[in-house]
Amino acid sequence: MTADSASLSTDMLTPEISYAQAKEGVMHVRFSGDWLMLSGNIPPSETLKKMICDPQRKTSRLLLELDEVRQWDTSLVSLLYSLIKCAKDAEAEFAWKGAPKGIESLLEMAIQSKATQKNDSVHRAELPEKLGGLVLSAHEVTDRVLTFIGEVVLSFGRLVKHKAYFRRVDFFDAVTEVGPRALPIVTLISFLVGMILAFVGAMQLRQFGAQVFVANLVGIAMAREMGAMMTGIVMAGRTGASYAARLGTMQVNEEIDALRTNGINPMDFLTLPRLLALMLMMPLLAIYSVAMGIVGGMTIGVLMLDLSLVEYWHQTMEAVPLNHFWAGLIKSVVFALVVGIAGCYHGMRCGRSSEAVGQVTTRAVVSGIVFIIMTDSLLTVVYDVIDF
């Protein structure tokens, strides 16, 4: 060691700190005595910190020697951590030896906490990069979806020209699956929605003696919005998930690859029958849903509002002109396309594992419902603009 050392206190019971730097750039710092803040004898350490951080000294390693420390509190821990921080800022290694029980764990916790804060700041610094990645990912997904929609349009064109590999039996199987087998769940949901609308309306309209207008509320709401929307949401959870799971399973079993190998276009053979079945049955299910909703509202009107069946029916017919039904029917066709494309798109892009089948099923349901709400909002605005 060189002669560059100093003693800040001479009493063995008082806290002392001495240091010396070897020629190899190793800084030895020795602590001794009782390091208690209440003693008021904590030695200054600014000179030592400046020496460690001084680039001219080229400190390569800091060694903290704590063998002679008797009692200690946070004043010693704070000093040790500040010295370690100086060493890290100077890009020097650090180590300690003979640390009393507890000091080592506290120092490790402090160093780890600082590293975590640094990582958080790094994450914040990477935020623009992540946003850029999200934008690029959204662009790729949009491109893939538009490509899929384009392939669907081409498949429709081949069907019109009688060039598509399209089996009628597959189409009728899909119609049976989408239509009659969906009636129980559509009946239950639509009937309950009609009852809820009527109940909410009755609570307000009864205050003004206008309870007969519950028929107007239920009829218009079911015909324009709720009939098509609730049918779409039910079909997204039922049929959209089924499409994604079946096509995903075929992808796992390499059946879709086998179709391509045999020269059969999967879009014509698998996707087209399912989309056509949905586009045919969804408007019918929407009309049925409207009827069930009106029946549900009628139930509340008769049981709670003392309206007769004839009175409620006539009020509904007067309040709901035909254009409300057309508005709902147009939406139901759009929702059919949304549900079918969401289910088939995710199913056709499934991975090669059973786990991937579950993932695409979930994505089909979520994306189907989200886009149903979005398209419904858009169509509602368009209807308002064109006064439809």
Side-chain angles (χ1 to χ4, degrees):
M1 296 184 182
T2 67
D4 189 7
S5 62
S7 176
L8 303 179
S9 177
T10 57
D11 190 350
M12 290 298 294
L13 296 178
T14 57
E16 292 184 351
I17 180 170
S18 61
Y19 47 91
Q21 185 171 15
K23 293 182 179 178
E24 299 80 14
V26 179
M27 175 71 78
H28 293 261
V29 182
R30 179 178 295 278
F31 298 83
S32 62
D34 299 323
W35 283 76
L36 300 174
M37 189 177 297
L38 293 177
S39 68
N41 294 323
I42 301 299
S45 58
E46 294 304 320
T47 303
L48 175 59
K49 292 177 183 176
K50 290 179 180 177
M51 288 176 61
I52 296 173
C53 296
D54 187 358
Q56 295 182 353
R57 287 183 172 272
K58 299 181 180 179
T59 303
S60 60
R61 179 179 172 82
L62 174 66
L63 180 59
L64 304 172
E65 300 174 359
L66 304 163
D67 310 76
E68 299 178 4
V69 173
R70 296 174 56 186
Q71 302 180 69
W72 59 276
D73 59 12
T74 54
S75 62
L76 178 59
V77 179
S78 176
L79 174 58
L80 292 173
Y81 178 72
S82 63
L83 295 178
I84 290 173
K85 186 175 181 301
C86 288
K88 293 179 70 175
D89 292 341
E91 298 182 352
E93 298 179 356
F94 61 89
W96 56 77
K97 69 175 186 179
K101 185 177 180 181
I103 285 185
E104 189 169 357
S105 59
L106 287 174
L107 285 176
E108 290 177 349
M109 288 175 60
I111 295 171
Q112 183 65 32
S113 174
K114 188 66 178 178
T116 303
Q117 293 176 7
K118 185 176 181 180
N119 290 333
D120 290 342
S121 64
V122 170
H123 283 299
R124 286 193 292 272
E126 294 176 349
L127 183 60
E129 183 180 351
K130 290 183 176 180
L131 288 175
L134 287 175
V135 172
L136 291 176
S137 177
H139 173 71
E140 292 176 1
V141 171
T142 304
D143 183 59
R144 288 198 296 266
V145 172
L146 291 178
T147 301
F148 184 83
I149 294 174
E151 292 177 353
V152 170
V153 174
L154 292 176
S155 184
F156 271 110
R158 288 192 293 271
L159 178 65
V160 173
K161 296 178 181 178
H162 302 285
K163 294 182 179 179
Y165 195 93
F166 183 86
R167 296 198 312 170
R168 293 181 180 178
V169 63
D170 294 336
F171 170 69
F172 289 116
D173 285 344
V175 168
T176 304
E177 178 66 27
V178 172
R181 292 178 184 173
L183 284 177
I185 185 67
V186 173
T187 302
L188 176 64
I189 297 299
S190 302
F191 182 79
L192 292 178
V193 168
M195 291 184 66
I196 292 170
L197 288 173
F199 187 77
V200 173
M203 292 176 63
Q204 298 299 319
L205 295 173
R206 192 160 48 184
Q207 301 177 20
F208 311 102
Q211 55 266 35
V212 70
F213 293 106
V214 167
N216 302 41
L217 172 65
V218 175
I220 294 174
M222 291 302 299
R224 288 191 69 92
E225 297 290 343
M226 302 306 293
M229 182 188 292
M230 296 312 301
T231 304
I233 291 174
V234 168
M235 300 306 285
R238 181 183 180 277
T239 306
S242 173
Y243 285 0
R246 289 187 182 183
L247 296 179
T249 304
M250 294 181 70
Q251 192 73 267
V252 172
N253 296 331
E254 300 182 354
E255 296 175 52
I256 295 179
D257 294 336
L259 289 174
R260 291 194 179 96
T261 303
N262 291 323
I264 300 174
N265 192 324
M267 297 297 293
D268 298 349
F269 191 73
L270 299 175
T271 302
L272 200 55
R274 289 172 168 80
L275 286 178
L276 288 176
L278 266 175
M279 293 176 65
L280 174 66
M281 297 308 300
M282 278 277 284
L284 300 178
L285 288 174
I287 294 173
Y288 179 74
S289 173
V290 173
M292 287 298 99
I294 291 175
V295 172
M298 186 180 293
T299 304
I300 295 296
V302 172
L303 297 180
M304 289 186 58
L305 305 175
D306 297 328
L307 299 174
S308 67
L309 289 175
V310 176
E311 184 181 9
Y312 190 96
W313 177 252
H314 281 296
Q315 186 66 29
T316 300
M317 290 297 100
E318 292 177 1
V320 187
L322 197 58
N323 65 316
H324 291 322
F325 288 97
W326 283 115
L329 283 178
I330 293 172
K331 287 185 177 181
S332 67
V333 176
V334 176
F335 296 162
L337 283 172
V338 169
V339 172
I341 289 175
C344 294
Y345 169 77
H346 288 291
M348 297 288 280
R349 293 193 56 82
C350 180
R352 301 289 186 180
S353 65
S354 56
E355 182 182 4
V357 176
Q359 292 174 348
V360 297
T361 303
T362 303
R363 290 173 191 162
V365 174
V366 173
S367 60
I369 293 175
V370 169
F371 279 99
I372 283 174
I373 302 299
M374 292 175 64
T375 52
D376 183 67
S377 303
L378 179 63
L379 287 173
T380 301
V381 173
V382 172
Y383 287 170
D384 183 66
V385 171
I386 64 177
D387 194 22
F388 180 56

